[in-house]
Amino acid sequence: MFNISPVIAIWIAWFATAANLVIGKAAVPYVTSALFLLLACLAAGVFFLPYLLKNNNWKILTQKDVWPQCLAMGTFGTALPMTVFMIALNYTTPVNGAILNQFEIIYSLIMSYLILKERPTLRQMGGSVLIILGVGLLLWQAGTTIQLKGDLMIIGCLWMFQLSHIFAKKLPAHMEPQLISAARALFAVPALAVLVAYLAVFQGPLMFESNATLWSMLILCAFANYFLGNTYWYRAIRNMDLSKATAIILSYPVMTFILSVCLGQDTISIYKVLGMILAVGGAYVVTGIVKQQGEKK
């Protein structure tokens, strides 16, 4: 089922990314965030099981030069930041989350400067200003309301995605997209299990209100995002120009906006529209579209 054209693969990944925040928003009233993600990652592991058993692919993940990178990727690419994201969705909206997500590119530029000593170009600095203006517009609209808390939580955790990308790049080149995606889900489990245990011991009983909405969101998250979305993203960037894949994926906040409004999770406002235009536009400028930069979270 994974043997499809890169163009179709990137659009599937685009939709899965757009829907992920909407799925999380629908689930947060009924479950502790870390527990939801733990169950979603375990369910994704079940979906990946036939592939992992085929030709003993799982053995690759146990190699001493692979599993530490996978553990870091799963911890900083899924477990910790996505837990913060889901908690933040108690206070803010999926649209804000999608727009604020563009701030990750600012972290990318900062880390490239500090670690790789790469100086940003004037084009990148100009695009960064647009992103900051778009994000700043949302923060200004939030004012001192509870929404500001959620927005700041999202901005504060985005650097973890960049850290996970560093470890992902150290994985052997022969690893297939399915295996990388399986690793990202399965190796998030240890950190999530620790988080769940900590919350259960120090904060009391975990929330899990079993109902149709929660179970459907759980399966959707596991299947659409961790199973299909991640797999097709890695397949796309390995079989098509990364700049084209990035150009498509950067526009996902538009679909998040549409889904969120249609489901009654958000409303249309001039602040959100302008913020999205500025932030997404700035992201396009920074990545240059024609330059091979950009990562999906």
Side-chain angles (χ1 to χ4, degrees):
M1 66 181 294
F2 296 113
N3 190 24
I4 62 176
S5 73
V7 173
I8 295 177
I10 191 61
W11 281 111
I12 293 175
W14 173 84
F15 188 83
T17 304
N20 191 41
L21 290 174
V22 177
I23 292 170
K25 181 67 173 181
V28 290
Y30 309 111
V31 65
T32 300
S33 298
L35 178 59
F36 177 85
L37 291 167
L38 174 62
L39 295 175
C41 287
L42 289 173
V46 174
F47 290 129
F48 279 114
L49 191 59
Y51 168 78
L52 292 172
L53 294 177
K54 183 180 178 181
N55 300 323
N56 291 323
N57 287 313
W58 62 271
K59 289 185 177 180
I60 298 177
L61 299 181
T62 64
Q63 295 175 1
K64 63 180 181 180
D65 61 333
V66 172
W67 74 261
Q69 316 300 335
C70 292
L71 182 62
M73 180 179 66
T75 299
F76 294 103
T78 297
L80 298 183
M82 292 311 301
T83 297
V84 175
F85 250 90
M86 279 200 68
I87 295 173
L89 287 173
N90 284 286
Y91 311 109
T92 191
T93 67
V95 175
N96 277 35
I99 297 171
L100 295 169
N101 227 0
Q102 308 303 310
F103 199 83
E104 183 190 345
I105 295 175
I106 305 296
Y107 283 116
S108 177
L109 293 178
I110 294 173
M111 294 178 73
S112 294
Y113 176 75
L114 294 177
I115 299 175
L116 303 176
K117 307 302 179 183
E118 295 179 354
R119 292 183 176 274
T121 64
L122 288 177
R123 181 190 181 107
Q124 290 173 323
M125 292 177 67
S128 299
V129 170
L130 291 178
I131 294 173
I132 293 172
L133 286 174
V135 169
L137 191 61
L138 295 183
L139 298 180
W140 179 74
Q141 182 206 12
T144 57
T145 65
I146 195 68
Q147 179 181 304
L148 181 63
K149 178 178 180 179
D151 290 348
L152 292 177
M153 288 176 67
I154 290 173
I155 294 175
C157 77
L158 292 175
W159 62 271
M160 297 184 198
F161 288 120
Q162 283 300 311
L163 186 58
S164 78
H165 299 331
I166 293 174
F167 289 105
K169 289 178 180 178
K170 296 181 180 181
L171 293 173
H174 63 78
M175 286 184 65
E176 296 180 334
Q178 300 96 302
L179 193 57
I180 298 174
S181 300
R184 185 169 176 174
L186 292 174
F187 281 89
V189 169
L192 288 169
V194 171
L195 280 174
V196 168
Y198 174 86
L199 293 173
V201 172
F202 294 100
Q203 293 192 14
L206 301 177
M207 179 171 60
F208 190 89
E209 185 179 328
S210 182
N211 55 52
T213 298
L214 176 57
W215 283 107
S216 59
M217 292 305 103
L218 181 61
I219 298 302
L220 270 176
C221 180
F223 185 76
N225 188 54
Y226 294 123
F227 181 61
L228 290 182
N230 285 343
T231 297
Y232 283 132
W233 165 253
Y234 290 122
R235 172 170 173 75
I237 63 175
R238 286 196 172 189
N239 294 278
M240 70 183 294
D241 185 63
L242 182 57
S243 61
K244 294 179 181 177
T246 301
I248 293 173
I249 210 71
L250 282 176
S251 65
Y252 83 86
V254 177
M255 177 53 68
T256 300
F257 201 165
I258 294 172
L259 291 173
S260 185
V261 170
C262 289
L263 293 173
Q265 295 179 344
D266 212 328
T267 57
I268 298 175
S269 74
I270 188 64
Y271 296 101
K272 294 181 187 296
V273 173
L274 287 178
M276 181 162 55
I277 292 172
L278 288 170
V280 174
Y284 271 80
V285 172
V286 172
T287 57
I289 309 247
V290 294
K291 289 186 70 175
Q292 294 194 357
Q293 292 185 1
E295 296 282 352
K296 179 182 174 283
K297 25 176 212 313

